[in-house]
Amino acid sequence: LDGITKESTEAMINEVLAVYPEKARKKRAPHLGANDQGSGSACVKSNKKTVPGVMSARGCAYAGAKGVVWGPIRDMVHVSHGPVGCGWYSWGTRRNLVTGINGVTQFAMQFTSDFQEKDIVYGGDKKLRTLLEEAKELFPLAKGISVLSECPVGLIGDDINSVAKTASKEMGIPVIPCNCEGFRGVSQSLGHHISNDTIRDYIIETREFAEPETPYDIALIGDYNIGGDVWSAKPLLEEIGLNVKAVWTGDGELEKIAATHKVKLNLIHCYRSMNYMCKVMEEKFGIPWHEFNFFGPTKIRESLRSIGALFDETIQANVEKVIAKYDPIMQGIIDQYKPRLDGKKVMLLVGGLRPRHTIGAYEDLGMECVGSGYEFAHTDDYDRTAPEMPDATVVYDDPSEYEFEKFADALRPDLIGSGIKEKYVFQKMGIPFRQMHSWDYSGPYHGYKGFEIFARDVDMAVNSPTWKLVKSPF
Ligand code: ICE
């Protein structure tokens, strides 16, 4: 990219690090680097404990379990087990949309055991048991109940596993304990892993699909239906002739998830949060898995062809038909928005997938990614990031708010895509912003349907006349 070299990026990093005390500097330095595009491997260290005292954007294991993996399963009751706060503040904010009738066939409601002092002192097992029975009685059509531990449950040593086991037997529905106390691990990432393990131990192989098997049976893994993403991605996979038998876990159904051991292929969008179960299903049931990217027409085209290559000529012909159908529509969108966005620079900081997966969609609109990083990615994510980002651009792992602001000040992007904690800081700096977790109350962004909305939203943010009225302090 123009004006960005390995030297300039490293100088920028050193300037930011210079304000830290020596110990913190030593800890943070390996997490900031200049991308080596050709290497195909990570230029930073990751998945390490946040340096105490710096402002991190990370969440916790409970967030990864309740908010990410379990919450989107629509036909279960999900219990936030512990004090009310974690449940309350994790309720609905991720925008994982669901179909069905609330309280009857879907349960996008807040259930909490609402721990009080006496539960901390005397234990909350009895209360949990009562709650499970009440939930079953009030919501008889729920297919199961998940019990998601908050920190205090682990700290006082409650045994939710045995409560769940007896309740499940006596009530006749799956009650799944998930020991995802927020203090476990270094970020929400361990919450994903623990939840994957729980699906492995309690759910998979407990059901069969109702319909007969076909060679085109697949599962859509790691799409959480944020702003309706699944409702764009699933029809597209169906349009090329695949049978999407289960979705993990966006607008998900427990019994279909439980029967996923019968599919022929797992297609995984969010690698970070669900690679664990793909690997389990490969080892245990011989089901291959394949990564794809449904952000922006270039990546969609590549992905559809790579998916087609795993099937026969019928599917491959369908893929070409679908591409030929949507390419002109996508070109129309690009013709409309690219002149308004060409050459604009974007910086990203999101969780574990989008900082690499959305780059192509910005590039389809003529934009350039001048910096990207993750809250909780691991080395295998950074390996996958290297070829997606322009050479020598800055990569940041679990950056502090200070680091992110300083990089933005130095690089002067035309757009930042990150989370709600970042949004108002950057808008006050006069920088256009999109909230790239919840799609900023918009979406879907996946698939062809999503790109049209994405392009409109990016244009709306970058070219809003509002920015002429904001006096930036920088
Ligand atoms: Fe995967 Mo916010 Fe989803 Fe990713 Fe994951 Fe989280 Fe969502 Fe973000 C998620 S599952 S909740 S695509 S935890 S937007 S890694 S941080 S980039």
Side-chain angles (χ1 to χ4, degrees), residues 59-71 78-91 110-112 146-152 178-185 187-192 194-195:
C60 65
Y62 161 86
K66 195 265 183 180
V68 176
V69 177
W70 289 97
H78 305 290
V79 178
S80 291
H81 187 40
V84 66
C86 299
W88 186 251
Y89 291 108
S90 64
W91 181 28
Q110 177 50 30
F111 297 85
T112 173
S146 71
V147 180
L148 303 152
S149 302
E150 299 167 19
C151 292
C178 186
N179 303 101
C180 57
E181 286 85 354
F183 57 74
R184 293 181 192 270
S187 69
Q188 51 269 66
S189 185
L190 192 69
H192 305 151
I194 292 167
S195 303

mmCIF file of all heavy atoms in Angstrom, residues 59-71 78-91 110-112 146-152 178-185 187-192 194-195:
data_model
loop_
_atom_site.group_PDB
_atom_site.id
_atom_site.type_symbol
_atom_site.label_atom_id
_atom_site.label_comp_id
_atom_site.label_asym_id
_atom_site.label_seq_id
_atom_site.Cartn_x
_atom_site.Cartn_y
_atom_site.Cartn_z
ATOM 1 N N GLY A 59 -14.021 -10.304 25.844
ATOM 2 C CA GLY A 59 -15.078 -10.801 26.709
ATOM 3 C C GLY A 59 -14.563 -11.989 27.504
ATOM 4 O O GLY A 59 -13.366 -12.202 27.619
ATOM 5 N N CYS A 60 -15.512 -12.793 28.043
ATOM 6 C CA CYS A 60 -15.126 -13.883 28.927
ATOM 7 C C CYS A 60 -15.676 -15.216 28.408
ATOM 8 O O CYS A 60 -16.423 -15.258 27.438
ATOM 9 C CB CYS A 60 -15.668 -13.620 30.326
ATOM 10 S SG CYS A 60 -17.475 -13.631 30.368
ATOM 11 N N ALA A 61 -15.305 -16.294 29.088
ATOM 12 C CA ALA A 61 -15.732 -17.635 28.661
ATOM 13 C C ALA A 61 -17.253 -17.777 28.654
ATOM 14 O O ALA A 61 -17.827 -18.407 27.760
ATOM 15 C CB ALA A 61 -15.105 -18.692 29.573
ATOM 16 N N TYR A 62 -17.917 -17.175 29.638
ATOM 17 C CA TYR A 62 -19.385 -17.215 29.667
ATOM 18 C C TYR A 62 -19.961 -16.543 28.417
ATOM 19 O O TYR A 62 -20.909 -17.045 27.803
ATOM 20 C CB TYR A 62 -19.898 -16.539 30.943
ATOM 21 C CG TYR A 62 -21.343 -16.101 30.892
ATOM 22 C CD1 TYR A 62 -22.381 -16.978 31.211
ATOM 23 C CD2 TYR A 62 -21.675 -14.800 30.494
ATOM 24 C CE1 TYR A 62 -23.700 -16.573 31.141
ATOM 25 C CE2 TYR A 62 -22.986 -14.383 30.426
ATOM 26 C CZ TYR A 62 -23.999 -15.274 30.743
ATOM 27 O OH TYR A 62 -25.301 -14.861 30.668
ATOM 28 N N ALA A 63 -19.352 -15.412 28.007
ATOM 29 C CA ALA A 63 -19.799 -14.717 26.791
ATOM 30 C C ALA A 63 -19.675 -15.648 25.581
ATOM 31 O O ALA A 63 -20.571 -15.721 24.734
ATOM 32 C CB ALA A 63 -18.993 -13.444 26.570
ATOM 33 N N GLY A 64 -18.554 -16.358 25.509
ATOM 34 C CA GLY A 64 -18.328 -17.261 24.384
ATOM 35 C C GLY A 64 -19.283 -18.437 24.382
ATOM 36 O O GLY A 64 -19.644 -18.963 23.325
ATOM 37 N N ALA A 65 -19.718 -18.855 25.576
ATOM 38 C CA ALA A 65 -20.612 -20.005 25.661
ATOM 39 C C ALA A 65 -22.072 -19.573 25.537
ATOM 40 O O ALA A 65 -22.802 -20.055 24.675
ATOM 41 C CB ALA A 65 -20.391 -20.736 26.988
ATOM 42 N N LYS A 66 -22.489 -18.643 26.378
ATOM 43 C CA LYS A 66 -23.893 -18.236 26.384
ATOM 44 C C LYS A 66 -24.225 -17.380 25.173
ATOM 45 O O LYS A 66 -25.167 -17.647 24.443
ATOM 46 C CB LYS A 66 -24.199 -17.475 27.672
ATOM 47 C CG LYS A 66 -25.674 -17.321 27.955
ATOM 48 C CD LYS A 66 -26.226 -15.995 27.446
ATOM 49 C CE LYS A 66 -27.708 -15.862 27.835
ATOM 50 N NZ LYS A 66 -28.255 -14.581 27.337
ATOM 51 N N GLY A 67 -23.419 -16.349 24.956
ATOM 52 C CA GLY A 67 -23.740 -15.419 23.883
ATOM 53 C C GLY A 67 -23.509 -16.010 22.509
ATOM 54 O O GLY A 67 -24.294 -15.786 21.595
ATOM 55 N N VAL A 68 -22.426 -16.775 22.373
ATOM 56 C CA VAL A 68 -22.011 -17.184 21.032
ATOM 57 C C VAL A 68 -22.569 -18.546 20.633
ATOM 58 O O VAL A 68 -23.299 -18.659 19.656
ATOM 59 C CB VAL A 68 -20.466 -17.159 20.908
ATOM 60 C CG1 VAL A 68 -20.019 -17.689 19.550
ATOM 61 C CG2 VAL A 68 -19.960 -15.739 21.118
ATOM 62 N N VAL A 69 -22.226 -19.596 21.373
ATOM 63 C CA VAL A 69 -22.539 -20.946 20.898
ATOM 64 C C VAL A 69 -23.959 -21.384 21.259
ATOM 65 O O VAL A 69 -24.716 -21.853 20.415
ATOM 66 C CB VAL A 69 -21.501 -21.965 21.414
ATOM 67 C CG1 VAL A 69 -21.871 -23.385 20.979
ATOM 68 C CG2 VAL A 69 -20.109 -21.608 20.903
ATOM 69 N N TRP A 70 -24.361 -21.219 22.547
ATOM 70 C CA TRP A 70 -25.652 -21.760 22.996
ATOM 71 C C TRP A 70 -26.831 -20.860 22.705
ATOM 72 O O TRP A 70 -27.886 -21.323 22.247
ATOM 73 C CB TRP A 70 -25.594 -22.088 24.501
ATOM 74 C CG TRP A 70 -24.743 -23.272 24.760
ATOM 75 C CD1 TRP A 70 -23.438 -23.258 25.139
ATOM 76 C CD2 TRP A 70 -25.110 -24.642 24.603
ATOM 77 N NE1 TRP A 70 -22.959 -24.542 25.233
ATOM 78 C CE2 TRP A 70 -23.972 -25.409 24.907
ATOM 79 C CE3 TRP A 70 -26.295 -25.281 24.232
ATOM 80 C CZ2 TRP A 70 -23.969 -26.791 24.857
ATOM 81 C CZ3 TRP A 70 -26.309 -26.675 24.187
ATOM 82 C CH2 TRP A 70 -25.151 -27.408 24.498
ATOM 83 N N GLY A 71 -26.657 -19.567 23.003
ATOM 84 C CA GLY A 71 -27.765 -18.613 22.900
ATOM 85 C C GLY A 71 -28.567 -18.699 21.605
ATOM 86 O O GLY A 71 -29.801 -18.614 21.633
ATOM 87 N N HIS A 78 -32.191 -21.247 27.690
ATOM 88 C CA HIS A 78 -30.795 -21.085 28.110
ATOM 89 C C HIS A 78 -30.756 -20.336 29.439
ATOM 90 O O HIS A 78 -31.218 -19.196 29.523
ATOM 91 C CB HIS A 78 -30.002 -20.322 27.048
ATOM 92 C CG HIS A 78 -30.079 -20.964 25.694
ATOM 93 N ND1 HIS A 78 -29.457 -22.159 25.415
ATOM 94 C CD2 HIS A 78 -30.724 -20.606 24.559
ATOM 95 C CE1 HIS A 78 -29.710 -22.498 24.152
ATOM 96 N NE2 HIS A 78 -30.480 -21.576 23.609
ATOM 97 N N VAL A 79 -30.231 -20.989 30.443
ATOM 98 C CA VAL A 79 -30.232 -20.401 31.779
ATOM 99 C C VAL A 79 -28.868 -19.800 32.100
ATOM 100 O O VAL A 79 -27.854 -20.492 32.073
ATOM 101 C CB VAL A 79 -30.568 -21.469 32.850
ATOM 102 C CG1 VAL A 79 -30.520 -20.856 34.246
ATOM 103 C CG2 VAL A 79 -31.928 -22.102 32.572
ATOM 104 N N SER A 80 -28.854 -18.496 32.381
ATOM 105 C CA SER A 80 -27.647 -17.860 32.908
ATOM 106 C C SER A 80 -27.635 -18.137 34.398
ATOM 107 O O SER A 80 -28.421 -17.549 35.147
ATOM 108 C CB SER A 80 -27.672 -16.354 32.657
ATOM 109 O OG SER A 80 -27.534 -16.103 31.283
ATOM 110 N N HIS A 81 -26.764 -19.041 34.812
ATOM 111 C CA HIS A 81 -26.799 -19.508 36.194
ATOM 112 C C HIS A 81 -25.817 -18.721 37.042
ATOM 113 O O HIS A 81 -24.601 -18.868 36.930
ATOM 114 C CB HIS A 81 -26.463 -21.001 36.220
ATOM 115 C CG HIS A 81 -26.633 -21.637 37.565
ATOM 116 N ND1 HIS A 81 -27.677 -21.334 38.415
ATOM 117 C CD2 HIS A 81 -25.883 -22.571 38.204
ATOM 118 C CE1 HIS A 81 -27.555 -22.036 39.520
ATOM 119 N NE2 HIS A 81 -26.473 -22.795 39.418
ATOM 120 N N GLY A 82 -26.399 -17.864 37.904
ATOM 121 C CA GLY A 82 -25.591 -16.983 38.743
ATOM 122 C C GLY A 82 -26.335 -15.667 38.929
ATOM 123 O O GLY A 82 -27.532 -15.598 38.670
ATOM 124 N N PRO A 83 -25.625 -14.618 39.339
ATOM 125 C CA PRO A 83 -26.269 -13.310 39.521
ATOM 126 C C PRO A 83 -26.846 -12.783 38.202
ATOM 127 O O PRO A 83 -26.393 -13.148 37.132
ATOM 128 C CB PRO A 83 -25.130 -12.429 40.033
ATOM 129 C CG PRO A 83 -24.138 -13.369 40.609
ATOM 130 C CD PRO A 83 -24.229 -14.611 39.781
ATOM 131 N N VAL A 84 -27.812 -11.893 38.326
ATOM 132 C CA VAL A 84 -28.617 -11.499 37.169
ATOM 133 C C VAL A 84 -27.828 -10.713 36.113
ATOM 134 O O VAL A 84 -28.130 -10.790 34.919
ATOM 135 C CB VAL A 84 -29.865 -10.699 37.630
ATOM 136 C CG1 VAL A 84 -29.465 -9.365 38.255
ATOM 137 C CG2 VAL A 84 -30.836 -10.492 36.492
ATOM 138 N N GLY A 85 -26.787 -10.025 36.539
ATOM 139 C CA GLY A 85 -26.107 -9.099 35.616
ATOM 140 C C GLY A 85 -25.607 -9.715 34.332
ATOM 141 O O GLY A 85 -25.873 -9.199 33.235
ATOM 142 N N CYS A 86 -24.886 -10.842 34.431
ATOM 143 C CA CYS A 86 -24.311 -11.452 33.226
ATOM 144 C C CYS A 86 -25.405 -11.795 32.231
ATOM 145 O O CYS A 86 -25.251 -11.613 31.025
ATOM 146 C CB CYS A 86 -23.523 -12.710 33.557
ATOM 147 S SG CYS A 86 -22.138 -12.418 34.644
ATOM 148 N N GLY A 87 -26.522 -12.312 32.742
ATOM 149 C CA GLY A 87 -27.619 -12.664 31.854
ATOM 150 C C GLY A 87 -28.232 -11.427 31.226
ATOM 151 O O GLY A 87 -28.447 -11.361 30.022
ATOM 152 N N TRP A 88 -28.491 -10.451 32.081
ATOM 153 C CA TRP A 88 -29.158 -9.247 31.604
ATOM 154 C C TRP A 88 -28.350 -8.572 30.500
ATOM 155 O O TRP A 88 -28.885 -8.210 29.453
ATOM 156 C CB TRP A 88 -29.375 -8.298 32.797
ATOM 157 C CG TRP A 88 -30.172 -7.105 32.420
ATOM 158 C CD1 TRP A 88 -29.725 -5.826 32.307
ATOM 159 C CD2 TRP A 88 -31.563 -7.077 32.085
ATOM 160 N NE1 TRP A 88 -30.745 -4.998 31.917
ATOM 161 C CE2 TRP A 88 -31.889 -5.750 31.767
ATOM 162 C CE3 TRP A 88 -32.559 -8.046 32.002
ATOM 163 C CZ2 TRP A 88 -33.171 -5.363 31.380
ATOM 164 C CZ3 TRP A 88 -33.837 -7.660 31.620
ATOM 165 C CH2 TRP A 88 -34.127 -6.340 31.318
ATOM 166 N N TYR A 89 -27.061 -8.400 30.747
ATOM 167 C CA TYR A 89 -26.243 -7.650 29.782
ATOM 168 C C TYR A 89 -25.847 -8.485 28.565
ATOM 169 O O TYR A 89 -25.260 -7.974 27.623
ATOM 170 C CB TYR A 89 -25.024 -7.033 30.471
ATOM 171 C CG TYR A 89 -25.449 -5.928 31.402
ATOM 172 C CD1 TYR A 89 -25.403 -6.085 32.773
ATOM 173 C CD2 TYR A 89 -25.968 -4.742 30.886
ATOM 174 C CE1 TYR A 89 -25.842 -5.081 33.632
ATOM 175 C CE2 TYR A 89 -26.414 -3.736 31.727
ATOM 176 C CZ TYR A 89 -26.344 -3.910 33.096
ATOM 177 O OH TYR A 89 -26.791 -2.919 33.934
ATOM 178 N N SER A 90 -26.143 -9.787 28.589
ATOM 179 C CA SER A 90 -25.834 -10.602 27.413
ATOM 180 C C SER A 90 -27.113 -10.932 26.649
ATOM 181 O O SER A 90 -27.127 -11.745 25.744
ATOM 182 C CB SER A 90 -25.128 -11.896 27.830
ATOM 183 O OG SER A 90 -25.994 -12.694 28.626
ATOM 184 N N TRP A 91 -28.192 -10.281 27.030
ATOM 185 C CA TRP A 91 -29.498 -10.615 26.461
ATOM 186 C C TRP A 91 -29.786 -9.812 25.189
ATOM 187 O O TRP A 91 -30.000 -8.614 25.245
ATOM 188 C CB TRP A 91 -30.598 -10.365 27.491
ATOM 189 C CG TRP A 91 -31.973 -10.691 27.028
ATOM 190 C CD1 TRP A 91 -32.334 -11.619 26.097
ATOM 191 C CD2 TRP A 91 -33.185 -10.071 27.458
ATOM 192 N NE1 TRP A 91 -33.688 -11.632 25.932
ATOM 193 C CE2 TRP A 91 -34.248 -10.695 26.753
ATOM 194 C CE3 TRP A 91 -33.488 -9.073 28.377
ATOM 195 C CZ2 TRP A 91 -35.571 -10.325 26.936
ATOM 196 C CZ3 TRP A 91 -34.809 -8.718 28.560
ATOM 197 C CH2 TRP A 91 -35.842 -9.345 27.848
ATOM 198 N N GLN A 110 -34.812 -13.922 28.580
ATOM 199 C CA GLN A 110 -33.753 -13.989 29.579
ATOM 200 C C GLN A 110 -34.175 -14.884 30.738
ATOM 201 O O GLN A 110 -35.175 -14.615 31.406
ATOM 202 C CB GLN A 110 -33.401 -12.581 30.054
ATOM 203 C CG GLN A 110 -32.370 -12.542 31.143
ATOM 204 C CD GLN A 110 -31.147 -13.379 30.819
ATOM 205 O OE1 GLN A 110 -30.762 -13.572 29.688
ATOM 206 N NE2 GLN A 110 -30.534 -13.920 31.836
ATOM 207 N N PHE A 111 -33.444 -15.971 30.937
ATOM 208 C CA PHE A 111 -33.670 -16.865 32.079
ATOM 209 C C PHE A 111 -32.441 -16.799 32.974
ATOM 210 O O PHE A 111 -31.321 -16.997 32.508
ATOM 211 C CB PHE A 111 -33.865 -18.312 31.617
ATOM 212 C CG PHE A 111 -35.082 -18.515 30.753
ATOM 213 C CD1 PHE A 111 -35.020 -18.297 29.384
ATOM 214 C CD2 PHE A 111 -36.287 -18.921 31.314
ATOM 215 C CE1 PHE A 111 -36.140 -18.478 28.585
ATOM 216 C CE2 PHE A 111 -37.413 -19.104 30.515
ATOM 217 C CZ PHE A 111 -37.338 -18.883 29.145
ATOM 218 N N THR A 112 -32.645 -16.533 34.246
ATOM 219 C CA THR A 112 -31.500 -16.480 35.160
ATOM 220 C C THR A 112 -31.896 -17.020 36.517
ATOM 221 O O THR A 112 -33.060 -16.905 36.922
ATOM 222 C CB THR A 112 -30.955 -15.034 35.306
ATOM 223 O OG1 THR A 112 -29.949 -15.015 36.314
ATOM 224 C CG2 THR A 112 -32.050 -14.050 35.699
ATOM 225 N N SER A 146 -30.173 -25.454 28.598
ATOM 226 C CA SER A 146 -28.738 -25.355 28.865
ATOM 227 C C SER A 146 -28.548 -24.584 30.165
ATOM 228 O O SER A 146 -29.301 -23.664 30.459
ATOM 229 C CB SER A 146 -28.007 -24.649 27.720
ATOM 230 O OG SER A 146 -28.318 -23.266 27.704
ATOM 231 N N VAL A 147 -27.549 -25.001 30.919
ATOM 232 C CA VAL A 147 -27.229 -24.308 32.176
ATOM 233 C C VAL A 147 -25.822 -23.739 32.037
ATOM 234 O O VAL A 147 -24.846 -24.485 31.942
ATOM 235 C CB VAL A 147 -27.301 -25.259 33.394
ATOM 236 C CG1 VAL A 147 -26.971 -24.516 34.679
ATOM 237 C CG2 VAL A 147 -28.674 -25.908 33.484
ATOM 238 N N LEU A 148 -25.744 -22.418 31.973
ATOM 239 C CA LEU A 148 -24.473 -21.757 31.681
ATOM 240 C C LEU A 148 -23.958 -21.061 32.931
ATOM 241 O O LEU A 148 -24.527 -20.060 33.382
ATOM 242 C CB LEU A 148 -24.697 -20.775 30.537
ATOM 243 C CG LEU A 148 -25.264 -21.504 29.311
ATOM 244 C CD1 LEU A 148 -26.113 -20.599 28.443
ATOM 245 C CD2 LEU A 148 -24.163 -22.146 28.502
ATOM 246 N N SER A 149 -22.892 -21.606 33.502
ATOM 247 C CA SER A 149 -22.389 -21.098 34.781
ATOM 248 C C SER A 149 -21.723 -19.755 34.644
ATOM 249 O O SER A 149 -20.879 -19.564 33.780
ATOM 250 C CB SER A 149 -21.326 -22.038 35.346
ATOM 251 O OG SER A 149 -21.836 -23.308 35.513
ATOM 252 N N GLU A 150 -22.069 -18.866 35.556
ATOM 253 C CA GLU A 150 -21.316 -17.622 35.701
ATOM 254 C C GLU A 150 -20.250 -17.833 36.784
ATOM 255 O O GLU A 150 -20.297 -18.815 37.533
ATOM 256 C CB GLU A 150 -22.277 -16.494 36.103
ATOM 257 C CG GLU A 150 -23.360 -16.239 35.056
ATOM 258 C CD GLU A 150 -24.472 -15.350 35.595
ATOM 259 O OE1 GLU A 150 -24.265 -14.653 36.604
ATOM 260 O OE2 GLU A 150 -25.564 -15.373 35.000
ATOM 261 N N CYS A 151 -19.336 -16.860 36.886
ATOM 262 C CA CYS A 151 -18.183 -17.012 37.788
ATOM 263 C C CYS A 151 -18.499 -17.576 39.184
ATOM 264 O O CYS A 151 -17.854 -18.534 39.621
ATOM 265 C CB CYS A 151 -17.452 -15.678 37.935
ATOM 266 S SG CYS A 151 -16.629 -15.159 36.421
ATOM 267 N N PRO A 152 -19.468 -16.990 39.920
ATOM 268 C CA PRO A 152 -19.646 -17.421 41.315
ATOM 269 C C PRO A 152 -19.942 -18.914 41.457
ATOM 270 O O PRO A 152 -19.579 -19.532 42.456
ATOM 271 C CB PRO A 152 -20.846 -16.582 41.782
ATOM 272 C CG PRO A 152 -20.868 -15.411 40.883
ATOM 273 C CD PRO A 152 -20.384 -15.901 39.554
ATOM 274 N N CYS A 178 -23.030 -26.526 31.305
ATOM 275 C CA CYS A 178 -21.846 -26.017 30.603
ATOM 276 C C CYS A 178 -21.026 -25.209 31.605
ATOM 277 O O CYS A 178 -21.452 -24.146 32.054
ATOM 278 C CB CYS A 178 -22.296 -25.157 29.422
ATOM 279 S SG CYS A 178 -20.937 -24.609 28.390
ATOM 280 N N ASN A 179 -19.883 -25.754 31.973
ATOM 281 C CA ASN A 179 -19.048 -25.118 33.000
ATOM 282 C C ASN A 179 -18.192 -24.024 32.373
ATOM 283 O O ASN A 179 -16.986 -24.193 32.172
ATOM 284 C CB ASN A 179 -18.166 -26.170 33.692
ATOM 285 C CG ASN A 179 -19.011 -27.281 34.302
ATOM 286 O OD1 ASN A 179 -19.150 -28.370 33.744
ATOM 287 N ND2 ASN A 179 -19.615 -26.986 35.441
ATOM 288 N N CYS A 180 -18.853 -22.917 32.076
ATOM 289 C CA CYS A 180 -18.194 -21.857 31.297
ATOM 290 C C CYS A 180 -17.979 -20.608 32.133
ATOM 291 O O CYS A 180 -18.112 -19.495 31.627
ATOM 292 C CB CYS A 180 -19.053 -21.536 30.072
ATOM 293 S SG CYS A 180 -20.751 -21.034 30.501
ATOM 294 N N GLU A 181 -17.665 -20.768 33.410
ATOM 295 C CA GLU A 181 -17.439 -19.610 34.272
ATOM 296 C C GLU A 181 -16.513 -18.606 33.579
ATOM 297 O O GLU A 181 -15.488 -18.975 33.001
ATOM 298 C CB GLU A 181 -16.802 -20.037 35.597
ATOM 299 C CG GLU A 181 -17.762 -20.729 36.547
ATOM 300 C CD GLU A 181 -17.906 -22.230 36.282
ATOM 301 O OE1 GLU A 181 -17.343 -22.708 35.291
ATOM 302 O OE2 GLU A 181 -18.584 -22.907 37.087
ATOM 303 N N GLY A 182 -16.897 -17.334 33.717
ATOM 304 C CA GLY A 182 -16.180 -16.279 33.003
ATOM 305 C C GLY A 182 -14.693 -16.216 33.255
ATOM 306 O O GLY A 182 -13.924 -15.790 32.390
ATOM 307 N N PHE A 183 -14.269 -16.686 34.421
ATOM 308 C CA PHE A 183 -12.839 -16.553 34.743
ATOM 309 C C PHE A 183 -11.972 -17.579 34.029
ATOM 310 O O PHE A 183 -10.751 -17.516 34.078
ATOM 311 C CB PHE A 183 -12.611 -16.640 36.259
ATOM 312 C CG PHE A 183 -13.134 -17.914 36.878
ATOM 313 C CD1 PHE A 183 -12.456 -19.113 36.696
ATOM 314 C CD2 PHE A 183 -14.292 -17.909 37.650
ATOM 315 C CE1 PHE A 183 -12.932 -20.293 37.271
ATOM 316 C CE2 PHE A 183 -14.774 -19.075 38.223
ATOM 317 C CZ PHE A 183 -14.098 -20.277 38.032
ATOM 318 N N ARG A 184 -12.590 -18.549 33.368
ATOM 319 C CA ARG A 184 -11.779 -19.591 32.703
ATOM 320 C C ARG A 184 -11.104 -19.029 31.460
ATOM 321 O O ARG A 184 -11.709 -18.337 30.661
ATOM 322 C CB ARG A 184 -12.656 -20.759 32.287
ATOM 323 C CG ARG A 184 -13.241 -21.524 33.463
ATOM 324 C CD ARG A 184 -14.074 -22.692 32.976
ATOM 325 N NE ARG A 184 -14.869 -23.257 34.051
ATOM 326 C CZ ARG A 184 -14.450 -24.246 34.847
ATOM 327 N NH1 ARG A 184 -13.259 -24.789 34.669
ATOM 328 N NH2 ARG A 184 -15.209 -24.685 35.818
ATOM 329 N N GLY A 185 -9.831 -19.380 31.285
ATOM 330 C CA GLY A 185 -9.120 -18.991 30.070
ATOM 331 C C GLY A 185 -8.814 -17.510 30.017
ATOM 332 O O GLY A 185 -8.886 -16.809 31.024
ATOM 333 N N SER A 187 -10.099 -15.372 27.399
ATOM 334 C CA SER A 187 -11.048 -14.606 26.578
ATOM 335 C C SER A 187 -12.303 -15.450 26.368
ATOM 336 O O SER A 187 -12.414 -16.553 26.895
ATOM 337 C CB SER A 187 -10.441 -14.289 25.214
ATOM 338 O OG SER A 187 -10.310 -15.498 24.471
ATOM 339 N N GLN A 188 -13.212 -14.969 25.519
ATOM 340 C CA GLN A 188 -14.393 -15.770 25.197
ATOM 341 C C GLN A 188 -14.032 -17.040 24.439
ATOM 342 O O GLN A 188 -14.839 -17.958 24.341
ATOM 343 C CB GLN A 188 -15.441 -14.953 24.419
ATOM 344 C CG GLN A 188 -14.976 -14.190 23.203
ATOM 345 C CD GLN A 188 -14.556 -12.787 23.545
ATOM 346 O OE1 GLN A 188 -13.578 -12.606 24.251
ATOM 347 N NE2 GLN A 188 -15.261 -11.785 23.033
ATOM 348 N N SER A 189 -12.827 -17.091 23.887
ATOM 349 C CA SER A 189 -12.450 -18.238 23.064
ATOM 350 C C SER A 189 -12.578 -19.569 23.810
ATOM 351 O O SER A 189 -13.054 -20.558 23.245
ATOM 352 C CB SER A 189 -11.016 -18.064 22.551
ATOM 353 O OG SER A 189 -10.683 -19.102 21.681
ATOM 354 N N LEU A 190 -12.185 -19.599 25.077
ATOM 355 C CA LEU A 190 -12.310 -20.866 25.808
ATOM 356 C C LEU A 190 -13.780 -21.239 26.010
ATOM 357 O O LEU A 190 -14.119 -22.425 26.070
ATOM 358 C CB LEU A 190 -11.577 -20.819 27.153
ATOM 359 C CG LEU A 190 -11.442 -22.208 27.797
ATOM 360 C CD1 LEU A 190 -10.489 -23.087 27.007
ATOM 361 C CD2 LEU A 190 -11.007 -22.121 29.244
ATOM 362 N N GLY A 191 -14.641 -20.231 26.068
ATOM 363 C CA GLY A 191 -16.076 -20.504 26.154
ATOM 364 C C GLY A 191 -16.583 -21.238 24.916
ATOM 365 O O GLY A 191 -17.437 -22.124 25.003
ATOM 366 N N HIS A 192 -16.062 -20.868 23.745
ATOM 367 C CA HIS A 192 -16.404 -21.610 22.518
ATOM 368 C C HIS A 192 -15.967 -23.064 22.665
ATOM 369 O O HIS A 192 -16.722 -23.994 22.382
ATOM 370 C CB HIS A 192 -15.675 -21.034 21.293
ATOM 371 C CG HIS A 192 -15.887 -19.579 21.049
ATOM 372 N ND1 HIS A 192 -14.944 -18.787 20.436
ATOM 373 C CD2 HIS A 192 -16.935 -18.762 21.335
ATOM 374 C CE1 HIS A 192 -15.403 -17.547 20.345
ATOM 375 N NE2 HIS A 192 -16.602 -17.510 20.881
ATOM 376 N N ILE A 194 -15.199 -24.896 25.341
ATOM 377 C CA ILE A 194 -15.950 -25.641 26.361
ATOM 378 C C ILE A 194 -17.328 -26.019 25.814
ATOM 379 O O ILE A 194 -17.807 -27.147 26.006
ATOM 380 C CB ILE A 194 -16.094 -24.800 27.653
ATOM 381 C CG1 ILE A 194 -14.722 -24.624 28.338
ATOM 382 C CG2 ILE A 194 -17.083 -25.432 28.629
ATOM 383 C CD1 ILE A 194 -14.704 -23.568 29.442
ATOM 384 N N SER A 195 -17.956 -25.093 25.107
ATOM 385 C CA SER A 195 -19.295 -25.371 24.545
ATOM 386 C C SER A 195 -19.241 -26.445 23.468
ATOM 387 O O SER A 195 -20.118 -27.309 23.386
ATOM 388 C CB SER A 195 -19.895 -24.099 23.946
ATOM 389 O OG SER A 195 -19.949 -23.094 24.914
#
